[in-house]
Amino acid sequence: MASVSDVSDVVVESDDGTDGVEEEVRFPDFSEIRVSDRSDINTWSSSFHARSRSTTPRSRQGSSRSPVGFRDLGFGSSHESFPSRFSNAHRSYSSRSVLNHFGFGRWWKPWSGLKFLGFLSKQKQQQKLQLHHRVKKKTERVWYRKRIRVLVALIGLLGLFFVMNWWMLSRLQVVNLSPKVGFLNGNSSFVRVCNAVVIARLLNSTLVIPNFLYSSVWRDVSQFSDIYQEDHFINYLTPDIQIVKELPLELRSLDLEAIGSVVTDADIMKESKPSFFLKNILPILLQNRVVHFVGFGNRLAFDPIPFQLQRLRCRCNFHALRFVPKIQETGALLLKRMRQHTTHLGPLDHYLVGPFAEPSIKGKRDHPAKASRFLALHLRFEIDMAAHSLCDFGGGEEEREELEAYRAIHFPALMLLKKTTKLPSAAALRSEGKCPLTPEEAVLMLAALGFNRKTHVYLAGAHIYGGKSRLAALTSLYPKMVTKEKLLSSSEIEPFMNFSSQLAALDFIGCAAADAFAMTDSGSQLSSLVTGYRIYYGGGKMTTIRPNKRRLAGIFLKNSTIEWSEFEERVRKAVKESKQVQERPVARSVYRHPRCRECMCNTDNLTALAGN
């Protein structure tokens, strides 16, 4: 159970386009003509057209009522409207009569008149073309300015968004609030503890050392201090968050469920973003001063998350959690016996067993023995895994009934799902790679990869489903296979008996320090954490075998119809494809894939990250 407390976080545009208005081009002295009435204009226009169509000499035409000046131009009746500046009617009157009226008749010649009008027409066209270019340039400038304004506005909004996010997170981290404590309940998993640490930092709260839930499957009453060094955990994370070993006295008597401070996994979606906790958990913490998380399994997403919070996650997992001396000492003894009592130290020994990694030699050895290499195999094939997978493992009706009874007791939600939902068949699950590898399949995989009878094998795991009979294939092919129960005497292992979490810590040390590590189920939490630990401290240079169960399932179904050489080639190809160590994919666990800038935060690991 952990706790969390003291919190404090969590386009307008205008178009300036105008219509182009052309400048009026006028003949000389036309501004002196005055029209007193619109009807006079119409009368004048009609008279002009009538006279232009008449065959009678101009001297015989009757006088018109048009104003003085218009009559001399030859305009007449009022049946047509005044023509526009650019209409054909406007061009039909006699240009010579116009020039005579204004005193240009003495030098007027028809060709000169045509030439003069052509000059005027060309001048108009040039003016129109110039005006068109001006309008086009103005339109382009307006369009360009508009696009620039939109782009600047978008950049401004985006910048404001990031600034606001940064400000909110910084406020959460530096505001000094009155003490508010949040709780976190969980099991002995690295993951849940470190996720609780990140939430405490996000909410600017005080973390109470986690209390682990009792599991009906594992029946382990171990608590945090039975597995990890409390003082080292608190001191290492002091620069990041405040951690206390228990609640303040005034908060211990509170009925947390009655005041609404209990938050279960049902209240939080899996892989929730930090914003969810700021919006939903922070108000409870501010109001009640305490939040109690029950479970908290996989409830905090790996992406997106601020850089510093992701780095804190890694620092917690790979540095703050250190096994207690009792586990370190027994783990060092395990490694020493697996290496046949040589003084050889592995690259991860110091990080795993601390001061007990130093070689202690009683007496002299004339010829130091060559270090013995060993393979660690995590065979995740306990009854809980077999039952939860809904797969068949060749045990017939008796096996199915046994697993069904186990599900009814330990996995009631799964039983309800079976009754209400049509689930894939056992055969379909196996073909899709959803079933854990059996001991027999594990033997085939290891043999195809080249591990022979001389290989020293450390078998990690609790009680294998099916017992010794199920392990017969492994023990017959690998006679040098041992378990922690075989390596340690009864008195040495007795303090750990009935404490599955502490026994798992010993397996973690044996697997992480091995020269090669193989798993049968990549979804296993122990296998995932061991893989990440070997990548983080081994720089990706330590052999880790993570099989592609889907591809292996297809190969195993045909193993009776293909030659052994072809079987070997297919298995090696399937394993090699999943063996490559790459940078952490987006949204994947930093505990399993620590190859990222947030996690590889020391010089050696950054060099390893760049070189692989």
Side-chain angles (χ1 to χ4, degrees), residues 390 413-426 428-429:
L390 298 176
L414 183 59
M415 292 297 292
L416 179 62
L417 185 65
K418 283 188 65 178
K419 294 177 181 179
T420 58
T421 308
K422 184 178 180 180
L423 300 176
S425 64
L429 289 172

Side-chain angles (χ1 to χ4, degrees), residues 306-323:
F307 182 91
Q308 292 301 328
L309 294 183
Q310 196 79 289
R311 171 164 288 191
L312 177 60
R313 218 176 199 166
C314 295
R315 292 178 62 242
C316 171
N317 186 58
F318 297 110
H319 296 277
L321 293 174
R322 181 180 292 174
F323 292 127

Side-chain angles (χ1 to χ4, degrees), residues 377 379-382 393 430 436-447 459 464-475 477-478 481 520 556:
L377 172 65
L379 186 61
R380 183 69 170 96
F381 198 69
E382 294 85 359
F393 301 99
R430 182 166 296 280
L437 295 184
T438 65
E440 296 83 0
E441 291 171 333
V443 168
L444 289 173
M445 179 186 73
L446 293 176
L459 180 63
I464 302 302
Y465 177 60
K468 291 184 179 180
S469 61
R470 202 70 199 245
L471 289 174
L474 269 172
T475 54
L477 184 60
Y478 298 106
M481 184 182 72
T520 59
F556 290 147

Side-chain angles (χ1 to χ4, degrees), residues 12 15 29 31 111 161 178 200 219 258 274 394 412 414 436 445 452 512 525 544 547-548 571 610:
V12 177
D15 188 359
D29 298 326
S31 60
W111 54 87
F161 172 77
S178 57
R219 300 176 182 178
L414 183 59
M445 179 186 73
N452 56 33
Q525 191 172 99
T544 299
N548 185 325
V571 171

Side-chain angles (χ1 to χ4, degrees), residues 43-52 73-77 89 92-94:
T43 303
W44 163 72
S45 175
S46 300
S47 175
F48 165 72
H49 288 287
R51 291 191 182 187
S52 63
L73 292 175
F75 295 96
S77 65
S92 62
Y93 63 85
S94 172

Side-chain angles (χ1 to χ4, degrees), residues 210-455:
N211 288 326
F212 295 154
L213 289 172
Y214 177 80
S215 169
S216 63
V217 175
W218 300 109
R219 300 176 182 178
D220 185 8
V221 295
S222 299
Q223 291 301 319
F224 188 91
S225 59
D226 297 320
I227 304 170
Y228 307 118
Q229 299 179 28
E230 277 190 349
D231 291 338
H232 173 76
F233 180 74
I234 294 172
N235 294 334
Y236 185 85
L237 294 175
T238 294
D240 301 288
I241 61 171
Q242 181 182 359
I243 304 175
V244 296
K245 293 185 178 181
E246 57 183 0
L247 275 173
L249 187 61
E250 68 272 14
L251 296 177
R252 296 178 196 171
S253 59
L254 292 177
D255 187 342
L256 300 179
E257 190 170 359
I259 65 176
S261 285
V262 176
V263 180
T264 67
D265 281 356
D267 301 319
I268 309 174
M269 292 179 57
K270 284 187 177 182
E271 305 292 332
S272 293
K273 298 179 181 179
S275 57
F276 173 88
F277 296 92
L278 296 174
K279 181 180 179 181
N280 299 281
I281 306 303
L282 181 58
I284 301 175
L285 196 56
L286 290 171
Q287 181 178 351
N288 300 336
R289 296 186 59 200
V290 57
V291 170
H292 183 96
F293 289 111
V294 179
F296 205 64
N298 300 324
R299 287 314 188 255
L300 178 62
F302 288 97
D303 288 299
I305 191 170
F307 182 91
Q308 292 301 328
L309 294 183
Q310 196 79 289
R311 171 164 288 191
L312 177 60
R313 218 176 199 166
C314 295
R315 292 178 62 242
C316 171
N317 186 58
F318 297 110
H319 296 277
L321 293 174
R322 181 180 292 174
F323 292 127
V324 294
K326 178 181 73 171
I327 294 177
Q328 285 184 332
E329 184 178 15
T330 307
L333 191 60
L334 269 177
L335 298 180
K336 190 174 183 179
R337 290 176 181 171
M338 279 302 302
R339 293 167 181 154
Q340 298 182 346
H341 298 274
T342 64
T343 58
H344 169 73
L345 289 180
L348 271 61
D349 288 12
H350 175 73
Y351 304 107
L352 292 167
V353 298
F356 300 98
E358 299 298 330
S360 56
I361 305 174
K362 297 180 180 179
K364 271 190 175 180
R365 300 178 65 104
D366 295 333
H367 301 286
K370 184 180 179 180
S372 176
R373 297 167 64 84
F374 71 96
L375 163 73
L377 172 65
H378 182 215
L379 186 61
R380 183 69 170 96
F381 198 69
E382 294 85 359
I383 188 172
D384 67 307
M385 169 63 81
H388 195 271
S389 68
L390 298 176
C391 298
D392 289 338
F393 301 99
E397 189 62 29
E398 182 181 353
E399 175 190 278
R400 283 191 288 271
E401 290 179 358
E402 182 182 7
L403 295 180
E404 192 73 6
Y406 189 91
R407 292 186 198 106
I409 297 173
H410 299 285
F411 304 120
L414 183 59
M415 292 297 292
L416 179 62
L417 185 65
K418 283 188 65 178
K419 294 177 181 179
T420 58
T421 308
K422 184 178 180 180
L423 300 176
S425 64
L429 289 172
R430 182 166 296 280
S431 64
E432 289 294 321
K434 301 294 180 63
C435 299
L437 295 184
T438 65
E440 296 83 0
E441 291 171 333
V443 168
L444 289 173
M445 179 186 73
L446 293 176
L449 293 175
F451 293 99
N452 56 33
R453 292 176 59 84
K454 296 181 180 180
T455 305

